[in-house]
Amino acid sequence: MAKAAPATLKREAEELREKLRYHEYRYHVLDDPEISDAAYDKLLVRLKEIEAEHPELSTPDSPTVRVGAQPREGFTTVKHVRPMLSLDNAFSFDALREFDRRVREGIGREEIEYIAEHKFDGLSISLLYEDGMLARGVTRGDGTTGEDVTPNIKTIRSIPLRIEESVLKKAKLKGDFEVRGEVIMTRKAFEAMNRQQEQVGGKIFVNARNSAAGSVRVLDPSITAQRKLDFFAYYLLVNDKPAFPKHSESLETLKQLRFRASDDWKLCDGIEAVVKYCESWDAKREKLPYEIDGVVVKVNSVGVQNELGFTSKSPRWAIAYKYPARQEQTVVNDIIVQVGRTGTLTPVAVLEPVQVGGVTVSRSTLHNMDEIERLGLHIGDTVLIERAGEVIPHVLKVVKEGKNRRAFRMPKECPECGSKIHKVEGEVAYRCVNVACPAKRKESLLHFAGRHAMDIDGLGDKIVDQLVDKGLVKDLADLYKLKLDEVAALERMAEKSAQNLLDEIEASKKNPLSRVIYALGIQFVGERTGQLLAEHFSSLEELAGAKQEQLEEVNEVGPKVAASIVDFFSEPANKQLIKKLEKAGVRPTAEKTKVKSNKLAGKSFVFTGGLANRSREEAGEIVKQHGGKIVGSVSKKTNYVVVGADPGSKYDKAKELGVPILDEAGFEKLVGLK
Ligand code: AMP
Ligand code: ZN
């Protein structure tokens, strides 16, 4: 057994969780963060560290579960105690008035109080809380039984994993209740996801609703975690019944409980007020950060709801008013190609201009070649397009083949810079790899300046925009030619900050080879690959001249990465760039660890717990200086496990496997420090 965690650590973990919970709420529910992302990450990293070293301190409601648990084999089904019914639809205001008439007649009253809410377009979910803790998340399924998607749901940051005691008290609620609501994807998250999918050649989703549903119903919760989902709560049940006499009270309480609930619901006296609400939101809904496909109208009094009851499919006390769909037919006059910020070529349909829901549409993205093939689209065809909110419209299908239709082909050269277009085997995307291609200049510069690349502080997007737009910087090497007066003349710059930026740029020349390689932005070459390459090649020239086979000799570099590097350096503009950088003074050489001896050659080390005389990094450096290497986990092949204060499970593993164990003094002796 591992040593029991000290009480101080336990307390620290609890405090971290409470802090993280609060900041999650500020960020994801209130949209009003108090601390920076970096500060948040720091808290999370510390908590992860504690939980990794002391797994017994992990809890199911810990914010660390937000990254997603292990994938599962399948879903288990769960029966809903109170069925999750669908809603009756109304496609016109007259249908709404008809609904109102039925309600009034059913109850025998002149006027009814309604609540009008946004109809969120996503996936409905039931969340069960026990003792204030999220115990289970279930999809609607067929209304009677749904799928248990708890680990996926836990990754959604606007869903509280635990409701604090004080909050429950204020809301006059015990810890056991059920919240129902909708998992949605904001327009921004949806577009970002499709852009990402375009890059990697993944599935393109047609709308935010499908992508939200698809992202929840996956077996691997870490995929859900990457998708930036949101949750809007709209029902609160206690003992399977509405929690309060009025629905409006439930909506207010949900906010108190720190759920994200809409601010835009409205209490309406009579149906005409509801109609007004629907009309006013039809005009404004495009401006919302998420999509709504209608308005849900509910009788406010739960007593009246109970009197009206349910049909087998839906409640008689609620209805969904649906906004008309925004679809039109038009002709695809041409297909052109746009070069994205990362060099990906995206085909775009040039449409015969057409009005869709009051807006003229003349372009529509086709994402990639696969999508064009899936649609069977040729230039000249008539297509059905749909516009959902402010999102760029998309082509749903071909409705009629054009008489003189012709197939579209990807160009061989970049339409922006004329460089040769590359396509990686097995990938969908076509790319321009010229770093200096005007379409990707800004992105390349930002990547180059990034914290993990050349680390040029102060070179953010506002400055990059100006440098490129004013023609001061055409490629990465131009950065090193900037003059003080040029930089000081930019917006948001004073003489002093301009000098600071130039100093930063100058200092960046001293970066080690690994960082410079990474900073070039070669596809598939991340930080780690940069390091591995820097250990193998001694300069940029050497790397640039390397053949596919030589590259594949490098640890962890496979054929795909190697091909991407070869492609990159085969581009004349990139070769030119390397020369220019060298001339400007960026001449990194390999940062091989200074070898002091060979006495640890072939020996592997694992560290666990805190050392007293040095950091783990320093200890690792010493091992490398003597030819040894550091590995992350203990196996039979491990040569030494060095144990510091408060060691974790690696210590137990070492004992179990009989791997030699050293304390810090023993380690010092071994490496010859004592
Ligand atoms: P439909 O799927 O078109 O039958 O519409 C019914 C669905 O609308 C419900 O199952 C919920 O998933 C969803 N919905 C969206 N917003 C709300 C809301 N504010 N109140 C109730 N249901 C909603
Ligand atoms: Zn180009």
Side-chain angles (χ1 to χ4, degrees):
M1 267 313 289
K3 263 205 305 190
T8 48
L9 265 190
K10 185 159 185 232
R11 198 154 355 100
E12 188 185 351
E14 274 159 16
E15 278 167 14
L16 282 166
R17 279 185 205 121
E18 196 174 315
K19 274 192 201 148
L20 286 162
R21 258 200 300 276
Y22 174 73
H23 291 300
E24 274 181 347
Y25 170 64
R26 300 286 321 189
Y27 188 105
H28 295 282
V29 177
L30 299 184
D31 217 355
D32 183 18
E34 257 174 27
I35 59 173
S36 69
D37 290 5
Y40 177 90
D41 287 345
K42 223 167 124 187
L43 296 174
L44 193 66
V45 165
R46 175 65 192 139
L47 181 58
K48 271 193 201 151
E49 218 173 72
I50 296 177
E51 291 181 355
E53 289 277 325
H54 295 280
E56 74 277 13
L57 291 184
S58 303
T59 62
D61 67 343
S62 176
T64 53
V65 306
R66 298 292 201 195
V67 297
Q70 291 298 313
R72 288 154 301 160
E73 299 276 316
F75 293 112
T76 46
T77 53
V78 177
K79 195 163 155 55
H80 302 294
V81 180
R82 184 185 169 99
M84 290 180 81
L85 297 176
S86 160
L87 293 169
D88 219 2
N89 287 323
F91 292 100
S92 68
F93 294 145
D94 278 345
L96 271 184
R97 294 186 179 108
E98 185 56 28
F99 159 77
D100 173 56
R101 192 186 53 74
R102 286 196 305 272
V103 169
R104 282 185 294 116
E105 281 178 9
I107 290 296
R109 272 205 214 157
E110 276 303 298
E111 200 167 272
I112 300 283
E113 194 175 75
Y114 293 109
I115 297 288
E117 299 169 37
H118 287 169
K119 185 170 186 301
F120 304 103
D121 204 7
L123 178 73
S124 53
I125 289 285
S126 141
L127 305 173
L128 284 173
Y129 283 79
E130 286 168 8
D131 239 359
M133 203 151 89
L134 175 62
R136 203 151 76 183
V138 186
T139 63
R140 179 168 84 179
D142 63 4
T144 315
T145 47
E147 287 166 337
D148 185 332
V149 286
T150 314
N152 309 64
I153 289 301
K154 283 187 171 177
T155 69
I156 302 173
R157 289 167 197 247
S158 45
I159 296 182
L161 298 171
R162 144 170 316 274
I163 319 280
E164 262 153 52
E165 202 69 47
S166 56
V167 173
L168 283 170
K169 215 166 185 181
K170 239 198 231 139
K172 298 197 183 63
L173 221 64
K174 296 249 163 48
D176 294 355
F177 54 87
E178 179 183 348
V179 172
R180 290 183 179 180
E182 203 87 351
V183 171
I184 61 131
M185 200 178 252
T186 60
R187 299 180 204 277
K188 234 167 126 186
F190 169 67
E191 286 174 45
M193 181 200 63
N194 263 356
R195 239 180 285 129
Q196 162 82 17
Q197 298 290 90
E198 270 171 15
Q199 293 285 326
V200 301
K203 178 178 159 65
I204 303 291
F205 290 94
V206 295
N207 57 38
R209 180 207 187 108
N210 291 3
S211 56
S215 303
V216 171
R217 300 191 55 254
V218 288
L219 291 168
D220 182 355
S222 69
I223 295 180
T224 319
Q226 290 159 17
R227 295 280 169 83
K228 302 228 172 12
L229 297 166
D230 261 299
F231 178 80
F232 277 102
Y234 47 69
Y235 285 125
L236 177 60
L237 308 173
V238 174
N239 293 327
D240 312 308
K241 290 195 253 333
F244 296 99
K246 291 192 169 166
H247 179 57
S248 50
E249 292 169 301
S250 286
L251 291 175
E252 274 156 5
T253 306
L254 283 166
K255 282 205 96 120
Q256 276 189 344
L257 291 176
R258 303 196 164 174
F259 282 90
R260 192 162 182 197
S262 166
D263 287 318
D264 300 314
W265 58 272
K266 195 165 188 256
L267 190 75
C268 298
D269 280 327
I271 203 70
E272 292 312 317
V274 172
V275 169
K276 276 218 185 77
Y277 178 91
C278 295
E279 276 176 338
S280 80
W281 276 104
D282 194 13
K284 288 185 291 190
R285 67 190 170 111
E286 305 273 280
K287 302 271 176 316
L288 284 169
Y290 48 85
E291 273 177 40
I292 60 173
D293 62 336
V295 169
V296 179
V297 186
K298 297 169 187 164
V299 170
N300 194 24
S301 155
V302 171
V304 174
Q305 288 183 4
N306 290 340
E307 257 182 82
L308 290 163
F310 302 84
T311 70
S312 63
K313 284 205 290 292
S314 52
R316 290 201 183 87
W317 44 264
I319 196 158
Y321 170 74
K322 291 261 179 101
Y323 288 120
R326 296 175 165 175
Q327 296 182 350
E328 283 303 331
Q329 292 188 10
T330 189
V331 176
V332 174
N333 287 330
D334 197 3
I335 296 178
I336 58 169
V337 166
Q338 275 174 1
V339 190
R341 295 176 309 157
T342 57
T344 313
L345 266 55
T346 311
V348 175
V350 180
L351 306 169
E352 185 62 37
V354 60
Q355 288 263 324
V356 192
V359 172
T360 307
V361 172
S362 55
R363 292 272 164 107
S364 164
T365 174
L366 295 167
H367 302 293
N368 55 37
M369 262 333 260
D370 275 15
E371 178 71 0
I372 293 178
E373 269 156 37
R374 191 185 67 78
L375 292 165
L377 176 66
H378 283 46
I379 298 162
D381 289 352
T382 299
V383 291
L384 185 68
I385 60 169
E386 181 178 65
R387 191 174 66 93
E390 278 173 321
V391 178
I392 315 156
H394 65 268
V395 174
L396 285 177
K397 61 178 181 191
V398 173
V399 286
K400 204 169 116 239
E401 295 185 355
K403 237 197 254 147
N404 299 312
R405 68 202 298 256
R406 69 194 155 86
F408 164 76
R409 279 194 204 359
M410 274 287 178
K412 297 251 184 314
E413 278 123 33
C414 172
E416 295 279 342
C417 72
S419 302
K420 189 170 152 253
I421 292 305
H422 296 264
K423 180 173 186 292
V424 178
E425 264 306 301
E427 291 251 318
V428 185
Y430 289 74
R431 284 193 173 77
C432 168
V433 301
N434 174 8
V435 184
C437 176
K440 38 191 291 212
R441 244 174 232 160
K442 289 179 184 176
E443 190 76 1
S444 305
L445 277 163
L446 285 171
H447 174 80
F448 188 75
R451 199 141 51 95
H452 297 271
M454 298 299 263
D455 195 19
I456 305 177
D457 205 20
L459 193 60
D461 43 12
K462 301 265 163 14
I463 304 297
V464 165
D465 278 354
Q466 298 182 63
L467 290 175
V468 172
D469 295 345
K470 290 192 159 61
L472 292 170
V473 172
K474 296 214 171 57
D475 65 26
L476 302 174
D478 287 346
L479 279 177
Y480 296 94
K481 291 199 211 138
L482 286 171
K483 304 210 171 52
L484 185 61
D485 54 338
E486 288 172 342
V487 179
L490 301 178
E491 264 168 58
R492 295 167 174 255
M493 271 286 173
E495 181 116 356
K496 178 142 190 315
S497 43
Q499 187 56 53
N500 285 347
L501 179 58
L502 290 185
D503 291 347
E504 283 279 336
I505 292 175
E506 182 61 29
S508 76
K509 291 179 185 171
K510 298 217 172 61
N511 272 309
L513 181 60
S514 55
R515 277 179 176 256
V516 182
I517 295 174
Y518 169 63
L520 290 174
I522 305 168
Q523 207 204 351
F524 308 129
V525 176
E527 265 182 275
R528 174 151 175 82
T529 313
Q531 268 162 16
L532 295 168
L533 290 167
E535 281 169 22
H536 201 92
F537 298 98
S538 61
S539 67
L540 280 180
E541 289 73 35
E542 207 184 306
L543 176 66
K547 302 241 158 39
Q548 172 93 15
E549 310 81 65
Q550 285 169 290
L551 289 160
E552 284 185 36
E553 274 169 25
V554 180
N555 230 342
E556 292 177 38
V557 171
K560 189 162 120 176
V561 179
S564 164
I565 298 171
V566 171
D567 269 0
F568 183 90
F569 288 110
S570 71
E571 175 55 51
N574 293 344
K575 279 198 200 122
Q576 192 64 28
L577 172 69
I578 302 297
K579 287 217 184 83
K580 273 181 81 176
L581 280 172
E582 146 124 287
K583 242 173 132 186
V586 184
R587 299 185 198 107
T589 45
E591 64 254 40
K592 291 219 175 85
T593 307
K594 255 228 205 90
V595 177
K596 293 191 174 155
S597 87
N598 244 335
K599 66 177 157 198
L600 301 180
K603 300 276 189 266
S604 58
F605 285 74
V606 172
F607 286 88
T608 176
L611 301 179
N613 300 334
R614 55 187 60 73
S615 71
R616 278 205 207 170
E617 285 72 36
E618 285 162 347
E621 196 51 34
I622 294 172
V623 169
K624 284 194 216 152
Q625 286 167 358
H626 295 286
K629 67 173 183 197
I630 309 297
V631 292
S633 59
V634 182
S635 75
K636 271 192 286 196
K637 287 195 225 138
T638 310
N639 294 96
Y640 298 102
V641 173
V642 183
V643 178
D646 286 329
S649 56
K650 292 172 192 165
Y651 181 36
D652 304 313
K653 189 86 184 280
K655 281 192 284 190
E656 193 187 310
L657 297 174
V659 175
I661 294 171
L662 297 174
D663 59 9
E664 190 165 5
F667 170 71
E668 289 170 346
K669 204 158 153 217
L670 179 76
V671 298
L673 284 170
K674 268 197 176 155

